Amino acid sequence: MTASEAAALAAPGSGEHGGHDAEALRSLGFWLYLMSDLIVFSALFATYVVMAENFAGGPTAKELFHLPGVLAETLFLLTSSAVYGLAMIALHKGDARGVRLGLVVTFLLGLGFLVMELREFAQMIAEGATPQRSGFLSAFFTLVGTHGAHVAMGLLWMLVMLAQVAAKGLTGPVAGRLLRLGMFWHFLDIVWIGVFTVVYLLGVV
């Protein structure tokens, strides 16, 4: 979804918050935020790649990672993104009930992803694989934990949007926020695909 598309959809009700130009400006600002976030994740990926073999006598990626569980996490997140896409189709049709249903299902799938990730962290820490154990583990927890924190913020945002859709309906400003949330959620998918490939797949090869 481009900034211009987001602005175009949000335009019908944009008068109450400053009109089309204001909505386009918000979309542009959000794109700039996503680009800055991309820079942050790029730095974290680069750090992880440098530190990936610094085990300091501690557990290695092959010993810690369990691909079936990580694959299940990935399916949860990717499916949630597909469901959010269906919610956006409902948004274009003006179907508030479909939007709410899509948000609820997306939230539950995202929550499932986050719970599985936290369980993975807890299991690793219980086995003594803490962030301070080695450079590899510090970089791992920082990269994957930062992504998880973004997912948590996305879930909180969904709860806010559920409340706004219920209270205000699909007004222009609400539609604009839903589109920006979708951009954010799909961005997290792309980052996770990088995490899954660089951290987990290459880690067990």
Side-chain angles (χ1 to χ4, degrees):
M1 183 68 67
T2 65
S4 60
E5 289 172 337
L9 184 57
S14 58
E16 69 181 80
H17 289 297
H20 177 87
D21 290 344
E23 191 61 36
L25 191 61
R26 291 189 191 98
S27 295
L28 175 61
F30 195 72
W31 271 109
L32 293 175
Y33 159 71
L34 288 181
M35 293 304 101
S36 66
D37 232 10
L38 181 61
I39 293 172
V40 170
F41 276 108
S42 297
L44 294 178
F45 270 109
T47 302
Y48 178 83
V49 169
V50 171
M51 304 297 285
E53 300 296 327
N54 292 343
F55 303 119
T60 67
K62 286 184 180 179
E63 294 168 338
L64 291 172
F65 296 161
H66 304 284
L67 276 186
V70 180
L71 182 59
E73 286 181 48
T74 304
L75 290 176
F76 267 97
L77 194 62
L78 296 184
T79 304
S80 75
S81 194
V83 173
Y84 197 94
L86 295 177
M88 291 302 94
I89 293 175
L91 173 64
H92 281 276
K93 294 179 178 177
D95 179 6
R97 183 176 177 276
V99 171
R100 289 197 301 271
L101 179 61
L103 285 175
V104 168
V105 176
T106 301
F107 177 87
L108 292 176
L109 290 167
L111 184 63
F113 167 86
L114 197 59
V115 168
M116 291 187 72
E117 186 168 85
L118 291 174
R119 287 182 61 185
E120 178 191 24
F121 284 1
Q123 183 177 351
M124 290 174 67
I125 291 172
E127 294 172 356
T130 59
Q132 62 269 31
R133 181 68 181 82
S134 66
F136 154 66
L137 286 169
S138 295
F140 168 80
F141 277 103
T142 302
L143 172 58
V144 181
T146 299
H147 179 271
H150 278 68
V151 171
M153 290 301 101
L155 294 178
L156 181 61
W157 191 355
M158 279 181 208
L159 291 178
V160 172
M161 292 314 303
L162 273 169
Q164 289 196 2
V165 172
K168 302 178 180 179
L170 300 178
T171 63
V174 170
R177 292 171 200 134
L178 286 169
L179 291 171
R180 288 189 286 276
L181 174 57
M183 290 159 59
F184 180 72
W185 200 249
H186 296 317
F187 170 76
L188 294 182
D189 269 359
I190 294 170
V191 172
W192 180 255
I193 289 171
V195 170
F196 181 72
T197 303
V198 174
V199 176
Y200 291 101
L201 282 183
L202 295 181
V204 300
V205 171

